[in-house]
Amino acid sequence: MAQTIFGEAINQAIIEEMRRDESVFIMGEDIRRSVYGATANLLEEFGEKRVIDTPLSENGFFGAAIGASLVGMRPIVETLTSFMWVGMDQLISQAAKMRYMFGGQARLPVVYRATMFYGGGSAAHHSDRSYPMFMNMPGLKIIVPSSPADVKGLLKTAIRDDDPCIVFEDGTLAGSRGEVPDGDRLVEFGKANVLRQGEDCTVVAIAGSVSMAMNAAEELVAEGVSVEVIDPRTMVPLDKQTILDSVEKTGRLVCVDPAHKVCSAASEIASIVAQEGFWSLQAPVVKVASEQVHIPYTPALEKLVYPTKDKIVEAVRETLD
Amino acid sequence: MAQTIFGEAINQAIIEEMRRDESVFIMGEDIRRSVYGATANLLEEFGEKRVIDTPLSENGFFGAAIGASLVGMRPIVETLTSFMWVGMDQLISQAAKMRYMFGGQARLPVVYRATMFYGGGSAAHHSDRSYPMFMNMPGLKIIVPSSPADVKGLLKTAIRDDDPCIVFEDGTLAGSRGEVPDGDRLVEFGKANVLRQGEDCTVVAIAGSVSMAMNAAEELVAEGVSVEVIDPRTMVPLDKQTILDSVEKTGRLVCVDPAHKVCSAASEIASIVAQEGFWSLQAPVVKVASEQVHIPYTPALEKLVYPTKDKIVEAVRETLD
Amino acid sequence: MAIISVPAPCGLSRTAAVRDRRQAERGAEVNIDKELLRLMLRRMWTIRHFEVKVIEVHSAGEFTGGAHPYIGEEAVAVGVCAALEDTDYIAGNHRSHGHPLAKGGDVKGAMAELYGRVDGYCKGKGGSMHLADFSIGILGESGIVGSSVPVATGAALAAKIRGDDFVSAVFFGDGASNQGACHESMNLASIWDLPVIFVCENNQYAVTTSYKDSVAVEHVADRAVAYNMPGVSVDGQDVIAMYEASMEAVKRARSGQGPTLIEGLTYRFDEHSLGLGRVRRGAYRSEEEIEKWKKRDPIEIFTRRVVSLGELSEADCEAISEEERLKVEEAVEFARNSPYPEPSELHEDMWANPIAVP
Amino acid sequence: MAIISVPAPCGLSRTAAVRDRRQAERGAEVNIDKELLRLMLRRMWTIRHFEVKVIEVHSAGEFTGGAHPYIGEEAVAVGVCAALEDTDYIAGNHRSHGHPLAKGGDVKGAMAELYGRVDGYCKGKGGSMHLADFSIGILGESGIVGSSVPVATGAALAAKIRGDDFVSAVFFGDGASNQGACHESMNLASIWDLPVIFVCENNQYAVTTSYKDSVAVEHVADRAVAYNMPGVSVDGQDVIAMYEASMEAVKRARSGQGPTLIEGLTYRFDEHSLGLGRVRRGAYRSEEEIEKWKKRDPIEIFTRRVVSLGELSEADCEAISEEERLKVEEAVEFARNSPYPEPSELHEDMWANPIAVP
Ligand SMILES: Cc1ncc(C[n+]2csc(CCOP(=O)(O)OP(=O)(O)O)c2C)c(N)n1
Ligand SMILES: Cc1ncc(C[n+]2csc(CCOP(=O)(O)OP(=O)(O)O)c2C)c(N)n1
Ligand SMILES: [Mg+2]
Ligand SMILES: [Mg+2]
């Protein structure tokens, strides 16, 4: 175990997988000089053929990664969520759909690492948290890690997985630290992480909101409220059983999601529990997700948009009224 | 009142609005010859300047419509949902975000008419029902008409609205008939249509699934079950009050949605009721949405994907168990 | 060894590139193995009979869904694929039957796919617009115009990274050439010297829209200069010319010199599509134009030529056509008798590493 | 009336287009109104002082968020905008301060926007990358590279449809030229003869990536042939040359002859950005290269020239600089004193026809 920064954990995962498997390569904008921080030292070790700086042509190189994956390579693509709109057609029409529409012939072991910048004044064009939109489209595995250990283990699993994966890397966590187990440790897809056991209310939180949920739970101890905190870690596949089991125990559910609230991952989880866990519920499900506005530049407004510890505390209290 | 075909109602709306307002123009692929049926007779009446055939450059002309709208025009763009992936960046980064990020300076009276082909063997690339993804992104008004009268009235409202609207035209309705009121009749955004009053269960249905819900309701009469059928008609803005009021009366909710079930409009509605209408609910909310697979070409499988009258009947019975 | 002379294509003014190519052809000696000539003819006939049959059974309502006939354009795909090995890759578009058949795809599998049956290439899940056979390098057709161009470019990228010597070729239309995907892919291929061949099937229309109204340059091949790669406009009714241009491009690609843009000047003899999109016929193309082009039938041109040169006999050619016709008839029978997939198949083939169905 | 001679640009080989243009410049008489010369100098100084100040206050932590300095590139935007009227439109990109200031945007509003205050152009909601002032035709900067190119093309489409005589100009980088959006827009503009000017600011790098590694052609302007429009590479350190090329393009545009692609060969003197993206300096550009280009400071080049020609005095030029410096200082004071928006502002400005907040 070593204390590791989130960004370094990503870097380690890439390096370990590139060492392990020659068919893994990485492409993206300005990755050779590691402009976004996660691709340091790759060029030196793996050379120009496996560490490729691309032109500003997201649709083109997102698709090139797909083509390379079809013929046996395992590409990793670095991008930001906000640049995925430009390359959307390749992500949806090709990466997500190809295997099924070709009757299972295609194998697409391609990983898109999409950083979610937000929370630091990056404004409407650079603050997308778009995983719920991709959840609606079958065919993509959707990974939303919340700790250095998880991002490392899940990214490694994604690289070895034979399906297209998008790893949404929460930019608010870039500098966060945490224990990362030594050695070649994978984190399985579809296994939620129960970070904290509790009896009174289940809080399901995603990516950057997980630590807020933990802090909220901590704060609520003083009020004698015992909160169970669950991080699904992967949205596709989603470990709904762990959530349902927890709600069966607590009878209450708060869904926390940094994405926009309408048709969010929080909405999806709430709707699953409203259908499959209804008889366990003793109170309304409460969503704590981002306000349905674009991300304002000014810090005076931006801070109002996202889930916070206080909003979560409030939501939990609401379920207990 | 005249019996009118869905496609003709669209054509009438366009013609009436183009006559009324010189700044309205229409662009799209092969619209002069009305390849998709809704743009017949426009070229003859309005000429080449206002009826523009575009090259296959969706990102380019989706964006050109935005630019034209900024300087005072009111463009209508014809496309298919499945081609929107190609032009996604303009829809999201510009149409949806521009007004807010420019502090309210921009006015974008642009309408995208996006036909949803599905249900007739058009396969994975031509069968998208993507409105839930757009619902997650603030800034776009999302219209999902289910009848000739509604598509006409809502499209007219969209053309006069000063915000970007996407009108999702359900292709399974293209040939359907219905009464369309004579004269210049608008349908207001954000006003759900209660098609049928009922006491036992609320069924909220969208676009092509509305008639299935009506048929299901009809069938359930024989079992002594009285179903209330609500068509939200616009997803953004969503008339949640009408839904909540109905559930308060019936205590039961079935959400029907032709879109893929995960993070669907059905999920959103279910989550709203699980939060704000929880105390009214006497049974689990049931979602009837499309299976989470791509649309298979073969009719043997395709027919299994979507909501049907039978699935809705089953779902209503489930809420009454 | 045959001296092939080419009749002038009609209706298209020609760029320098076309002129050069055609000069080179006129009177130039062509070394093409008789077996390859037979194969080219055979594949053109496969496609022709396939498409004729598809129109017939589709209008009889034997299956639904869209289908885009390749009749009139056979020489383009066949010329290109004749220059490829089984280990090379192709990707295509919505006009999707010609490419896989030209690459040697199984006729039965193709037909069964159109019928939506389990014995189809894609078990009935893809249909007309999504034919694919990975086992012989057919990476699949795509319903979204322009969308397979980056994918084919990526296959070539893999070759470059691994040092493999396969090439990839991608077919797209004059309409598609206006998609950003084409621009981005050609630039990528050029800066990275990728072994990819961009084949623009310029049949002069995108549905009802003339390329003259939608492509700013006279020839799509003129755009190659914007990517610093060779661009050549070829008579797309002449399978030999297509083959030769492709051989040159393949040589360049395999020797690490990078991509080529080949524009095949051609024409679709039929309407844009069956089923999908009710295209009103007539207004956008004159009867004269259609008739003029139908006189330039690629199969007739080729047959006349090889027969007059004594390369193949008339009987040979007829036999080939007849064999392919029968193969298509058998394929239809095969397709009709193949079962539809079971309902339990619905969620199969979504994932290589399956997950629970949500 | 002044004879303007231009020093040779360094570091960039030149296409025929550049050579022609530079021949035309050498020794050619230039008729530029003294007031316009003063205005060009003034606006270059506005931008320069603005950016210097932004770097200073940003590194002092007075606001967060990214900002992309335009220092070294002032002549491009100023030369283009000097050829435009208030009623013409511009759109820009992430390197976003130079364009609006060159178009005559209010310095206070710009600075207050960077500070996230209510008196900013966009009430603090946009920030550095989304400056816009619709009242004088600034349709807004865009953080997504290439994304404003279709938008500007659409403004020009409106002019065409209505018969208005405004033009629109759009600024994008060498990196952006590889986006499909540029390809599609240029083709649209060409086939429809739209009054739009595509201004590529070729500062030779996209963040750390050299255009030589990412653009397949020697000059972005070489791509104009792919759209059958004039393409010209201009010395982007020479505001007069940029102005003249723009005037020609504007004339073409206003008279219905369609679009022009102008490539300004330039260089950014500073790092890619402040804040957003921690760009490691150094490795990708040599110190020599940077020094060489800094000797081609557009403001110095211009000042030396107009002074030596006797068009403006040294004192005039210094006064202009000082006035602009003070204006920027005032703007900072103004910005600091402007309030942040109230929380109640959060949901405002989403809709022109408001709906209930979900
Ligand atoms: C992105 C996209 N836009 C529009 C369409 C609808 N469409 C299908 S084929 C076609 C015309 C294509 O023309 P071209 O590329 O020249 O190929 P051709 O049909 O002539 O072979 C159009 C507009 C589509 N499938 N995909
Ligand atoms: C679509 C998209 N991809 C990537 C980025 C990240 N990014 C911002 S600026 C930039 C470089 C742009 O280079 P260029 O167009 O040459 O403009 P310059 O910065 O040199 O002025 C990159 C990669 C982005 N903002 N948008
Ligand atoms: Mg065509
Ligand atoms: Mg640049």
Side-chain angles (χ1 to χ4, degrees):
Chain A
M1 287 284 217
Q3 279 284 329
T4 307
I5 291 171
F6 195 84
E8 274 169 22
I10 296 169
N11 185 251
Q12 286 174 11
I14 297 169
I15 288 175
E16 288 173 19
E17 294 306 301
M18 286 185 78
R19 283 188 189 145
R20 201 186 53 78
D21 184 346
E22 276 226 322
S23 61
V24 179
F25 73 99
I26 183 161
M27 65 202 299
E29 288 155 17
D30 304 291
I31 62 171
R32 288 182 179 163
R33 291 185 187 78
S34 193
V35 164
Y36 292 108
T39 56
N41 307 317
L42 299 182
L43 179 65
E44 295 72 6
E45 180 166 351
F46 303 105
E48 297 202 341
K49 281 209 169 158
R50 294 176 66 200
V51 183
I52 304 176
D53 271 358
T54 62
L56 272 143
S57 305
E58 281 83 1
N59 200 47
F61 72 80
F62 286 8
I66 294 166
S69 81
L70 289 180
V71 302
M73 302 298 290
R74 307 188 84 88
I76 306 170
V77 177
E78 175 175 292
T79 190
L80 259 58
T81 42
S82 298
F83 311 156
M84 295 171 92
W85 312 123
V86 181
M88 197 71 172
D89 180 57
Q90 291 297 313
L91 297 174
I92 301 295
S93 301
Q94 304 297 341
K97 294 184 178 177
M98 203 181 251
R99 181 178 174 82
Y100 189 77
M101 81 189 176
F102 293 157
Q105 292 180 72
R107 231 177 38 111
L108 296 110
V110 51
V111 176
Y112 296 91
R113 291 182 38 240
T115 306
M116 302 190 281
F117 268 178
Y118 65 100
S122 50
H125 266 185
H126 282 82
S127 303
D128 291 299
R129 294 128 295 117
S130 49
Y131 46 86
M133 293 173 72
F134 290 96
M135 289 168 64
N136 180 246
M137 179 57 55
L140 299 164
K141 292 181 177 169
I142 306 290
I143 322 301
V144 285
S146 70
S147 72
D150 279 356
V151 78
K152 182 172 179 185
L154 290 166
L155 179 55
K156 284 168 73 88
T157 302
I159 294 168
R160 296 189 201 180
D161 195 271
D162 284 335
D163 293 305
C165 300
I166 307 181
V167 182
F168 288 88
E169 298 172 1
D170 191 316
T172 64
L173 301 173
S176 69
R177 283 173 184 281
E179 298 284 325
V180 173
D182 298 324
D184 189 30
R185 294 276 286 275
L186 304 187
V187 174
E188 208 181 322
F189 287 174
K191 289 261 172 286
N193 189 13
V194 182
L195 284 123
R196 184 185 175 111
Q197 312 258 354
E199 303 301 320
D200 302 325
C201 180
T202 301
V203 176
V204 178
I206 296 167
S209 69
V210 172
S211 63
M212 296 171 196
M214 289 298 282
N215 292 337
E218 197 61 48
E219 185 169 318
L220 284 158
V221 170
E223 302 175 20
V225 176
S226 151
V227 171
E228 180 142 315
V229 178
I230 299 177
D231 171 7
R233 298 199 282 203
T234 61
M235 298 311 303
V236 179
L238 177 68
D239 180 2
K240 69 180 179 185
Q241 203 51 56
T242 297
I243 297 168
L244 290 167
D245 290 348
S246 175
V247 175
E248 199 181 333
K249 176 174 63 172
T250 63
R252 292 169 174 87
L253 175 65
V254 171
C255 302
V256 190
D257 188 348
H260 290 301
K261 64 162 73 150
V262 176
C263 289
S264 60
S267 302
E268 177 60 21
I269 292 168
S271 76
I272 290 172
V273 174
Q275 176 155 3
E276 300 177 44
F278 179 77
W279 299 114
S280 311
L281 283 171
Q282 295 164 38
V285 177
V286 182
K287 279 195 271 182
V288 181
S290 285
E291 291 294 314
Q292 200 69 8
V293 284
H294 297 299
I295 304 307
Y297 165 74
T298 181
L301 298 181
E302 187 182 14
K303 63 171 190 236
L304 305 174
V305 175
Y306 311 113
T308 59
K309 183 204 67 184
D310 290 347
K311 289 182 190 173
I312 299 168
V313 167
E314 200 44 56
V316 172
R317 286 192 192 127
E318 212 180 308
T319 65
L320 293 161
D321 270 354
Chain B
M1 285 284 215
Q3 279 284 331
T4 308
I5 291 172
F6 196 83
E8 275 169 23
I10 296 169
N11 184 251
Q12 286 173 10
I14 298 168
I15 288 176
E16 289 173 17
E17 294 305 303
M18 286 184 77
R19 281 187 191 149
R20 202 186 52 80
D21 183 346
E22 278 226 319
S23 60
V24 179
F25 73 100
I26 183 161
M27 62 200 303
E29 288 154 18
D30 304 291
I31 60 170
R32 289 183 179 163
R33 291 183 186 78
S34 193
V35 164
Y36 292 107
T39 55
N41 308 318
L42 299 182
L43 180 65
E44 294 73 7
E45 178 166 351
F46 303 105
E48 297 203 339
K49 281 208 169 160
R50 294 177 67 198
V51 183
I52 304 176
D53 271 358
T54 62
L56 272 144
S57 304
E58 281 83 1
N59 201 47
F61 72 81
F62 286 9
I66 294 166
S69 80
L70 288 180
V71 301
M73 302 298 289
R74 306 188 86 87
I76 306 169
V77 176
E78 174 174 294
T79 191
L80 260 59
T81 42
S82 297
F83 311 155
M84 295 171 93
W85 312 124
V86 181
M88 198 69 172
D89 180 55
Q90 291 299 313
L91 297 175
I92 302 295
S93 300
Q94 303 299 339
K97 294 183 176 176
M98 202 181 251
R99 181 177 173 83
Y100 190 78
M101 84 190 175
F102 294 156
Q105 291 181 74
R107 231 175 39 113
L108 296 110
V110 51
V111 176
Y112 296 91
R113 291 183 37 239
T115 305
M116 303 189 283
F117 269 177
Y118 65 101
S122 51
H125 266 184
H126 282 83
S127 304
D128 291 297
R129 295 129 294 119
S130 50
Y131 45 86
M133 293 172 72
F134 290 95
M135 288 167 65
N136 180 246
M137 179 57 56
L140 299 165
K141 291 180 179 170
I142 307 290
I143 322 301
V144 286
S146 70
S147 72
D150 278 357
V151 78
K152 181 170 178 186
L154 289 166
L155 179 53
K156 285 168 72 86
T157 303
I159 294 169
R160 297 189 200 180
D161 196 272
D162 284 334
D163 292 306
C165 299
I166 308 181
V167 181
F168 288 88
E169 297 173 1
D170 192 315
T172 64
L173 301 175
S176 68
R177 282 176 183 280
E179 298 283 324
V180 172
D182 299 323
D184 189 31
R185 294 275 288 272
L186 304 186
V187 174
E188 208 181 322
F189 288 174
K191 289 262 173 284
N193 189 12
V194 182
L195 283 123
R196 184 184 174 110
Q197 311 258 355
E199 303 300 321
D200 302 326
C201 180
T202 301
V203 176
V204 178
I206 296 167
S209 69
V210 171
S211 63
M212 297 171 194
M214 290 298 282
N215 292 338
E218 198 59 48
E219 183 167 321
L220 285 158
V221 169
E223 301 175 24
V225 176
S226 150
V227 172
E228 179 141 318
V229 178
I230 299 177
D231 171 8
R233 298 200 281 202
T234 62
M235 299 311 301
V236 178
L238 177 69
D239 180 2
K240 69 178 180 186
Q241 202 50 56
T242 296
I243 298 170
L244 290 167
D245 289 349
S246 175
V247 175
E248 198 182 332
K249 174 174 63 173
T250 64
R252 292 170 173 85
L253 175 65
V254 172
C255 302
V256 191
D257 188 349
H260 291 301
K261 65 161 71 148
V262 176
C263 289
S264 59
S267 302
E268 177 60 20
I269 292 168
S271 76
I272 289 171
V273 174
Q275 178 156 2
E276 300 176 43
F278 179 78
W279 299 114
S280 312
L281 283 171
Q282 295 165 37
V285 177
V286 182
K287 278 195 271 182
V288 181
S290 286
E291 291 295 312
Q292 200 69 11
V293 285
H294 296 300
I295 304 307
Y297 165 73
T298 181
L301 298 180
E302 188 182 15
K303 63 173 189 234
L304 305 173
V305 174
Y306 311 112
T308 58
K309 181 204 69 183
D310 290 347
K311 289 182 190 173
I312 299 168
V313 167
E314 201 43 60
V316 172
R317 285 192 192 126
E318 212 181 308
T319 65
L320 293 162
D321 270 353
Chain C
M1 195 145 62
I3 296 169
I4 304 286
S5 88
V6 186
C10 52
L12 282 167
S13 68
R14 286 171 279 146
T15 59
V18 193
R19 263 198 309 279
D20 290 355
R21 164 141 296 279
R22 299 182 52 74
Q23 274 159 16
E25 283 156 1
R26 240 192 302 278
E29 297 213 336
V30 176
N31 275 301
I32 299 185
D33 182 83
K34 210 170 276 194
E35 277 316 301
L36 186 56
L37 290 177
R38 294 174 64 90
L39 187 71
M40 291 199 277
L41 181 62
R42 182 176 298 285
R43 291 200 173 153
M44 288 199 290
W45 273 123
T46 319
I47 298 170
R48 176 68 54 94
H49 288 303
F50 188 90
E51 297 294 46
V52 167
K53 196 73 198 173
V54 163
I55 293 171
E56 181 194 319
V57 297
H58 189 278
S59 55
E62 295 201 30
F63 55 83
T64 52
H68 302 76
Y70 200 63
I71 297 176
E73 310 187 28
E74 295 90 343
V76 179
V78 170
V80 170
C81 291
L84 301 178
E85 307 293 329
D86 272 6
T87 46
D88 294 325
Y89 292 102
I90 64 162
N93 63 359
H94 58 284
R95 197 166 303 290
S96 50
H97 311 155
H99 315 132
L101 295 176
K103 187 74 168 46
D106 173 44
V107 185
K108 287 181 177 164
M111 192 63 85
E113 188 59 33
L114 270 63
Y115 274 79
R117 309 301 169 102
V118 288
D119 295 306
Y121 280 166
C122 310
K123 308 181 188 166
K125 285 175 174 162
S128 161
M129 273 191 277
H130 306 304
L131 301 180
D133 183 350
F134 280 46
S135 70
I136 52 169
I138 303 166
L139 292 181
E141 305 289 305
S142 165
I144 302 301
V145 166
S147 191
S148 59
V149 182
V151 174
T153 305
L157 174 62
K160 171 85 184 271
I161 294 175
R162 276 201 305 242
D164 291 346
D165 79 343
F166 66 78
V167 308
S168 87
V170 58
F171 298 94
F172 57 95
D174 46 301
S177 75
N178 295 320
Q179 289 285 4
C182 288
H183 171 75
E184 297 186 5
S185 300
M186 289 191 205
N187 186 59
L188 288 178
S190 177
I191 59 167
W192 293 336
D193 289 324
L194 301 185
V196 55
I197 302 161
F198 297 99
V199 185
C200 180
E201 307 176 310
N202 185 352
N203 62 9
Q204 305 173 64
Y205 294 89
V207 195
T208 68
T209 304
S210 165
Y211 89 102
K212 287 174 191 149
D213 295 332
S214 70
V215 180
V217 280
E218 203 172 342
H219 281 292
V220 175
D222 296 345
R223 289 196 170 147
V225 297
Y227 313 105
N228 197 18
M229 68 168 84
V232 53
S233 285
V234 180
D235 179 359
Q237 305 311 90
D238 178 357
V239 70
I240 308 272
M242 283 305 306
Y243 169 71
E244 289 181 335
S246 305
M247 282 300 281
E248 239 173 80
V250 168
K251 212 167 88 186
R252 259 183 67 82
R254 273 202 230 286
S255 62
Q257 292 173 276
T260 301
L261 169 58
I262 300 176
E263 175 184 23
L265 304 171
T266 186
Y267 203 77
R268 68 171 149 70
F269 288 2
D270 285 271
E271 267 315 319
H272 173 72
S273 70
L274 317 173
L276 204 85
R278 295 125 291 171
V279 182
R280 290 197 305 179
R281 191 197 154 94
Y284 70 99
R285 307 196 299 185
S286 71
E287 284 306 322
E288 295 90 300
E289 184 184 287
I290 297 173
E291 286 317 307
K292 210 158 74 175
W293 274 95
K294 282 194 173 165
K295 294 211 181 85
R296 302 206 67 248
D297 185 313
I299 301 185
E300 276 176 28
I301 289 174
F302 178 86
T303 305
R304 223 183 296 126
R305 214 179 311 165
V306 289
V307 169
S308 78
L309 287 166
E311 291 283 330
L312 301 179
S313 72
E314 230 166 280
D316 273 351
C317 294
E318 269 164 36
I320 288 174
S321 167
E322 187 56 15
E323 282 162 31
E324 296 312 299
R325 200 185 60 75
L326 287 174
K327 217 182 270 171
V328 168
E329 289 294 340
E330 276 166 34
V332 168
E333 272 321 297
F334 174 80
R336 285 176 180 148
N337 293 320
S338 171
Y340 282 111
E342 292 296 319
S344 63
E345 276 287 306
L346 179 63
H347 285 278
E348 296 300 309
D349 300 318
M350 271 300 296
W351 308 102
N353 301 144
I355 63 172
V357 174
Chain D
M1 197 143 66
I3 297 169
I4 304 285
S5 90
V6 186
C10 52
L12 284 165
S13 68
R14 283 171 283 145
T15 59
V18 192
R19 264 198 308 279
D20 289 354
R21 165 141 297 280
R22 298 181 53 73
Q23 274 159 15
E25 284 156 0
R26 239 189 306 277
E29 297 213 337
V30 176
N31 275 303
I32 299 185
D33 182 83
K34 209 170 273 192
E35 276 318 298
L36 186 58
L37 289 177
R38 294 174 65 90
L39 186 71
M40 290 199 276
L41 181 61
R42 182 177 298 285
R43 290 201 173 152
M44 289 200 288
W45 272 123
T46 318
I47 298 170
R48 176 67 54 94
H49 288 303
F50 188 90
E51 297 294 48
V52 167
K53 196 73 198 176
V54 163
I55 294 171
E56 181 194 318
V57 296
H58 189 279
S59 56
E62 293 200 30
F63 56 83
T64 52
H68 301 76
Y70 200 64
I71 296 176
E73 310 187 30
E74 294 91 342
V76 179
V78 170
V80 171
C81 291
L84 301 178
E85 308 293 329
D86 272 6
T87 47
D88 293 325
Y89 292 102
I90 65 164
N93 63 358
H94 58 284
R95 197 165 305 289
S96 49
H97 311 156
H99 314 134
L101 295 176
K103 186 75 166 49
D106 172 45
V107 184
K108 285 180 178 165
M111 191 63 86
E113 189 59 35
L114 271 65
Y115 274 78
R117 309 300 169 102
V118 288
D119 295 306
Y121 279 166
C122 311
K123 309 182 188 166
K125 284 175 175 162
S128 161
M129 275 191 277
H130 305 304
L131 300 181
D133 184 349
F134 280 45
S135 69
I136 52 169
I138 304 166
L139 292 180
E141 306 289 306
S142 165
I144 303 301
V145 166
S147 192
S148 58
V149 182
V151 174
T153 304
L157 174 62
K160 171 86 183 268
I161 294 175
R162 276 202 304 243
D164 291 345
D165 79 342
F166 65 77
V167 308
S168 88
V170 57
F171 299 93
F172 56 96
D174 47 302
S177 76
N178 295 318
Q179 289 286 3
C182 287
H183 171 74
E184 298 187 4
S185 301
M186 288 190 206
N187 186 59
L188 289 178
S190 177
I191 59 167
W192 293 337
D193 290 325
L194 301 185
V196 53
I197 302 160
F198 297 99
V199 184
C200 180
E201 307 176 310
N202 185 351
N203 62 11
Q204 306 174 62
Y205 294 88
V207 193
T208 68
T209 304
S210 166
Y211 88 102
K212 287 174 191 148
D213 296 331
S214 70
V215 181
V217 279
E218 202 173 342
H219 281 293
V220 175
D222 296 345
R223 287 195 171 148
V225 298
Y227 312 104
N228 198 20
M229 69 169 83
V232 53
S233 285
V234 180
D235 179 0
Q237 306 309 92
D238 178 356
V239 70
I240 307 273
M242 283 303 306
Y243 168 72
E244 287 180 335
S246 305
M247 281 300 281
E248 242 172 79
V250 168
K251 212 167 88 187
R252 260 184 66 82
R254 272 202 230 286
S255 61
Q257 293 172 277
T260 301
L261 170 57
I262 300 177
E263 175 184 22
L265 303 170
T266 185
Y267 203 78
R268 67 171 150 71
F269 289 2
D270 284 272
E271 268 316 320
H272 173 72
S273 70
L274 317 172
L276 204 84
R278 294 125 293 174
V279 182
R280 289 196 308 181
R281 192 196 153 92
Y284 70 100
R285 309 196 297 187
S286 71
E287 285 305 321
E288 295 89 301
E289 183 183 287
I290 297 172
E291 286 317 308
K292 212 159 71 178
W293 273 95
K294 284 196 173 165
K295 294 211 181 87
R296 302 205 68 247
D297 185 312
I299 302 185
E300 275 176 28
I301 289 174
F302 178 87
T303 306
R304 224 182 297 122
R305 216 180 307 164
V306 290
V307 168
S308 78
L309 286 166
E311 291 284 332
L312 303 179
S313 72
E314 229 165 280
D316 273 350
C317 295
E318 267 164 37
I320 288 172
S321 166
E322 186 57 15
E323 281 161 31
E324 296 313 296
R325 198 185 63 74
L326 287 175
K327 217 182 272 172
V328 169
E329 289 294 339
E330 276 167 33
V332 168
E333 271 321 297
F334 173 80
R336 285 176 181 148
N337 291 322
S338 172
Y340 283 110
E342 293 296 318
S344 62
E345 275 289 306
L346 179 62
H347 284 278
E348 297 299 310
D349 300 319
M350 271 298 297
W351 308 103
N353 300 142
I355 63 173
V357 174

